Amino acid sequence: MKRRYFAGVTLAALLALTGCDNGGPAPKARGDRETVEAYIAALNDRDTGALLKLDGTTGPDAERDAQKIVKEKGGRGLKVEDIRISYGFGPDVGSAKITAKDSKGGDYSENLTITRDDGKWYLTILPAPKQDPSGKTPAETSTPSDGAGPSKPVSG
């Protein structure tokens, strides 16, 4: 009786740990090349949501920028001929050069920066967030320190 009870409790615990698993294989982490291929697929599908995920940026400005990219580059039926990824700054930052043909036979090429953060690959697709028009950093425009922090004057 105890053995059956223990087996039932163990089975229930295992099912609870697996959560809502659909029984399929665990999702595979997307590699650097697959990330670049997903970018081309997002352009072909005119999928702004996918572009945002590949870039990792959020917010209304990012959405507007992704829509602009889809309008300019999307829906061309790109067929990848070559993807070359080189790593000049270590294993987590690289440059991806894409060479493709569009559905009309036209040449397409693009260079993107690819980065790995916490094991996940991202592409730098969207423009950088807008800077303060004065060119000053937030540290230069904020209220001066009260002298209690690291910028405390040194007496001497």
Side-chain angles (χ1 to χ4, degrees):
M1 175 77 174
K2 284 185 179 182
R3 191 176 285 182
R4 269 185 145 167
Y5 176 77
F6 179 74
V9 170
T10 303
L11 179 60
L14 286 173
L15 289 174
L17 286 174
T18 59
C20 298
D21 187 11
N22 63 3
K28 181 182 153 209
R30 186 171 51 220
D32 52 0
R33 183 177 178 85
E34 290 87 4
T35 300
V36 177
E37 290 169 346
Y39 170 69
I40 295 297
L43 287 180
N44 286 339
D45 295 342
R46 303 180 67 85
D47 188 346
T48 57
L51 287 179
L52 290 168
K53 287 179 185 176
L54 290 169
D55 188 86
T57 308
T58 59
D61 288 343
E63 289 178 25
R64 185 189 66 245
D65 292 338
Q67 290 170 354
K68 182 179 176 187
I69 288 171
V70 162
K71 184 178 180 183
E72 292 173 359
K73 302 177 187 179
R76 294 174 56 182
L78 297 173
K79 301 247 188 257
V80 173
E81 292 183 329
D82 191 30
I83 296 174
R84 293 183 189 240
I85 301 175
S86 59
Y87 298 94
F89 299 104
D92 295 326
V93 179
S95 174
K97 179 169 177 61
I98 304 166
T99 306
K101 292 272 187 197
D102 66 21
S103 61
K104 297 177 182 175
D107 292 329
Y108 178 88
S109 67
E110 187 170 4
N111 291 310
L112 298 169
T113 300
I114 186 166
T115 57
R116 182 170 42 190
D117 183 28
D118 199 26
K120 186 172 181 180
W121 287 100
Y122 295 94
L123 294 171
T124 304
I125 304 166
L126 305 177
K130 293 181 180 166
Q131 298 286 324
D132 183 298
S134 70
K136 294 182 178 181
T137 66
E140 295 172 318
T141 59
S142 63
T143 307
S145 171
D146 64 0
S151 61
K152 181 178 178 182
V154 178
S155 59

